[in-house]
Amino acid sequence: MNQLTTKELAFIEDEIRAEAITAKTINWCASLCEDQQLKQQLEQIAESHQLKIADLSQYFNRSEHIQ
């Protein structure tokens, strides 16, 4: 189990939020895209950001808060 300070935990929370915003924005762009090849590429990029969210969330949940 990782031991993280409040500052480190806050940083991870900020990273999760940033990745979520990025993924949603890219998905929104993909939904408006008429070029199928570009749309698929954008969807793959968004999926990679969603996977980062899952990884960061797991790391965050396995961490222990220290003072």
Side-chain angles (χ1 to χ4, degrees):
M1 181 171 287
N2 302 313
Q3 293 186 340
L4 301 173
T5 65
T6 302
K7 185 175 182 177
E8 291 167 327
L9 290 171
F11 177 78
I12 294 170
E13 286 178 321
D14 290 345
E15 284 295 310
I16 292 170
R17 282 189 210 96
E19 289 293 338
I21 291 168
T22 302
K24 288 177 184 177
T25 302
I26 294 171
N27 270 327
W28 174 76
C29 291
S31 73
L32 300 175
C33 191
E34 294 179 10
D35 180 335
Q36 288 302 311
Q37 183 179 4
L38 181 57
K39 182 176 184 168
Q40 287 178 339
Q41 289 175 329
L42 289 171
E43 288 171 345
Q44 288 174 351
I45 294 168
E47 184 178 352
S48 72
H49 284 279
Q50 291 167 341
L51 293 172
K52 287 181 187 177
I53 294 168
D55 288 343
L56 287 168
S57 295
Q58 287 178 0
Y59 183 78
F60 181 84
N61 290 332
R62 281 186 267 128
S63 298
E64 181 180 308
H65 177 249
I66 59 172
Q67 295 296 326

